[in-house]
Amino acid sequence: MVSAMVCRSAVLGAVTLSLLAVPAHAAPLKTAGKARAAAALPAPDTAGLAAVLRSVVAKGAPGAMARIDDGTRVYRSAQGIADRTSRRALTTTDRFRVGSVTKTFSAVVLLQLVDEHRLALDAPVNRYLPGLLPDDRITVRHLLSHRSGLYDYTNDMFADSVAGFEAVRDKVFTYRQLVDMSLRKPRTNAPGAAYSYSNTNFVVAGMLIEKLTGHSVRTEYENRIFKPLKLSDTFYVHPDTRIPGQHANGYLTADQAGAQPVDATSQTVSWAQSAGAIISSARDLDTFYSALVRGKLTSAARLAEMERFTRVNSTTSYGLGLRRRELSCGISVYGHTGAVQGYYTYAFTTKDGRRSLTALANTSNSSDVLNTLAATLEPAFCGEQKSTHAAAAPVEQEDVAPAAPQEQ
């Protein structure tokens, strides 16, 4: 172990990029049309991907990595360090906090409950949680599509990112406490009237899961998703503060220029829970999103509901706990982004699930890093291009919003 660490320390700062032949993690689709679509997808631009990750580190992240799985080959690229104290190099096998990628997991559980006829998407939330919300018109669909109008309590909780984080780092909240914080503020819009991203929606989603099943969200995630897909790096440990096994430490950028970043690795994430507390790895997220769009987690009808998208900006639409991003080459990808103190995540897959990307930077509270990490999508799915249309890309926005607008 000592010699291995010495060798790795000697190459810190260098990009690690490998191409491995591996078995597909899901059975290949057999239709000729989908086979042609997969064949038409350009090969990943591995040099371009590595360049983006170098730029992420240059912008201030201790480390950045990405893993692409196209069903027959896995491309891995990593840059920088996982731990500012030990100087251990970041790897694509490190576990990390996925933030709002958790929302897709929560949406899948609720859609499975719809498949089991235990929940109706267009039923009022108050049918299942009587008296919780002030408006009986707010439906389950409104929650999962961020169209409920419920105020996002994290706007106030993290108005000052470092002080706000330190105030809740070790706290354990009930779901009801988080919802009550939201309800103290006016709603942003009438139910169904507009898209407005709010973590409150997926806190209520967690309440629904626990009320309808009689089990914790941890149990439902494990039994319905983690175990069936063999996601061995994926955990919901709340209210424990630790990340099991080898992991990337996460660093919260200080609010004051020049101040040292805060190691945010250890935290309950109780302020988010079913909206953002899952821990995973790049391999597991690639597997999860590929399985989801291939129909391995819900019925075809429920997946179609999940993929009924509302336009958010020039390149992004939102369905039910699922994003669609349109890239410069005309390809659309499906997944979610995540921001939790110390970590930024992008996890997306193609419509047919044949190519998936997960990218991580182990920092947060940095618009420069967030915007740069978003650029991993282009080389991963569009391949080499003479023009990346970078100037047309929208400014990325956090979903845990210290000194930044809310995620769109």
Side-chain angles (χ1 to χ4, degrees):
M1 288 297 293
V2 173
S3 61
M5 287 298 294
V6 170
C7 290
R8 294 180 68 180
S9 297
V11 296
L12 277 181
V15 172
T16 302
L17 187 63
S18 62
L19 172 62
L20 301 177
V22 297
H25 58 245
L29 298 175
K30 296 181 179 180
T31 64
K34 289 183 178 178
R36 284 194 297 271
L41 197 66
D45 177 6
T46 55
L49 181 64
V52 171
L53 297 178
R54 285 194 297 270
S55 184
V56 170
V57 172
K59 296 288 186 181
M65 62 87 163
R67 180 186 188 274
I68 302 170
D69 187 338
D70 72 359
T72 58
R73 293 175 176 171
V74 173
Y75 305 78
R76 299 182 176 95
S77 185
Q79 174 78 18
I81 57 176
D83 185 333
R84 296 178 75 242
T85 301
S86 71
R87 310 299 293 177
R88 180 179 69 82
L90 181 67
T91 76
T92 58
T93 60
D94 285 337
R95 296 167 180 167
F96 52 90
R97 300 191 185 280
V98 306
S100 285
V101 173
T102 302
K103 290 179 172 67
T104 310
F105 287 81
S106 295
V108 166
V109 173
L110 286 178
L111 289 168
Q112 288 180 354
L113 292 172
V114 174
D115 276 330
E116 295 163 13
H117 307 290
R118 300 162 73 180
L119 178 70
L121 280 173
D122 294 308
V125 171
N126 283 347
R127 176 186 298 178
Y128 307 104
L129 299 168
L132 177 69
L133 301 181
D135 193 330
D136 286 339
R137 296 176 298 168
I138 298 175
T139 67
V140 177
R141 188 188 301 276
H142 291 152
L143 296 179
L144 299 184
S145 59
H146 292 296
R147 293 185 298 118
S148 70
L150 293 172
Y151 179 80
D152 190 343
Y153 59 89
T154 67
N155 289 337
D156 303 319
M157 187 178 283
F158 302 122
D160 295 311
S161 58
V162 174
F165 169 64
E166 294 293 6
V168 301
R169 177 199 281 264
D170 297 314
K171 281 191 175 180
V172 177
F173 294 95
T174 65
Y175 285 127
R176 187 58 191 252
Q177 287 173 321
L178 298 175
V179 173
D180 285 348
M181 291 180 199
S182 169
L183 297 182
R184 292 186 194 119
K185 293 297 184 76
R187 281 174 278 158
T188 56
N189 50 260
Y195 171 93
S196 181
Y197 191 94
S198 174
N199 286 286
T200 309
N201 292 315
F202 280 81
V203 169
V204 179
M207 297 178 77
L208 284 168
I209 291 169
E210 296 197 347
K211 177 65 177 292
L212 293 169
T213 66
H215 300 140
S216 67
V217 292
R218 176 190 302 182
T219 297
E220 294 303 309
Y221 291 150
E222 289 175 350
N223 292 342
R224 293 173 177 272
I225 305 174
F226 300 173
K227 291 177 182 177
L229 295 182
K230 298 180 172 59
L231 305 183
S232 58
D233 293 323
T234 306
F235 307 91
Y236 185 85
V237 302
H238 173 267
D240 195 348
T241 61
R242 297 168 297 174
I243 301 177
Q246 181 175 296
H247 59 271
N249 281 24
Y251 298 92
L252 178 61
T253 303
D255 294 320
Q256 295 77 32
Q260 290 297 303
V262 174
D263 188 331
T265 311
S266 176
Q267 58 170 303
T268 62
V269 202
S270 194
W271 63 265
Q273 299 187 50
S274 51
I278 282 178
I279 294 161
S280 193
S281 68
R283 179 194 63 190
D284 279 7
L285 293 185
D286 283 348
T287 299
F288 169 64
Y289 279 109
S290 177
L292 173 60
V293 300
R294 289 173 180 238
K296 295 182 179 296
L297 292 171
T298 69
S299 67
R302 300 293 80 75
L303 180 59
E305 295 277 11
M306 202 172 199
E307 294 178 346
R308 289 173 59 182
F309 292 100
T310 298
R311 174 70 68 175
V312 172
N313 59 35
S314 62
T315 64
T316 306
S317 302
Y318 205 94
L320 301 183
L322 189 68
R323 295 188 184 283
R324 183 181 67 200
R325 299 280 296 238
E326 295 165 12
L327 305 181
S328 66
C329 57
I331 292 170
S332 292
V333 291
Y334 301 75
H336 215 287
T337 53
V340 63
Q341 291 91 352
Y343 304 90
Y344 285 140
T345 303
Y346 277 77
F348 285 86
T349 192
T350 50
K351 174 67 172 173
D352 59 9
R354 286 182 172 269
R355 181 177 298 172
S356 303
L357 162 81
T358 295
L360 168 78
N362 59 339
T363 195
S364 67
N365 195 30
S366 170
S367 296
D368 285 345
V369 169
L370 183 63
N371 280 285
T372 305
L373 189 67
T376 56
L377 295 171
E378 293 284 335
F381 295 105
C382 292
E384 294 185 25
Q385 298 183 88
K386 292 181 180 178
S387 173
T388 63
H389 303 283
V395 174
E396 299 296 317
Q397 297 180 332
E398 296 194 31
D399 59 357
V400 179
Q406 284 294 284
E407 179 175 325
Q408 295 186 353

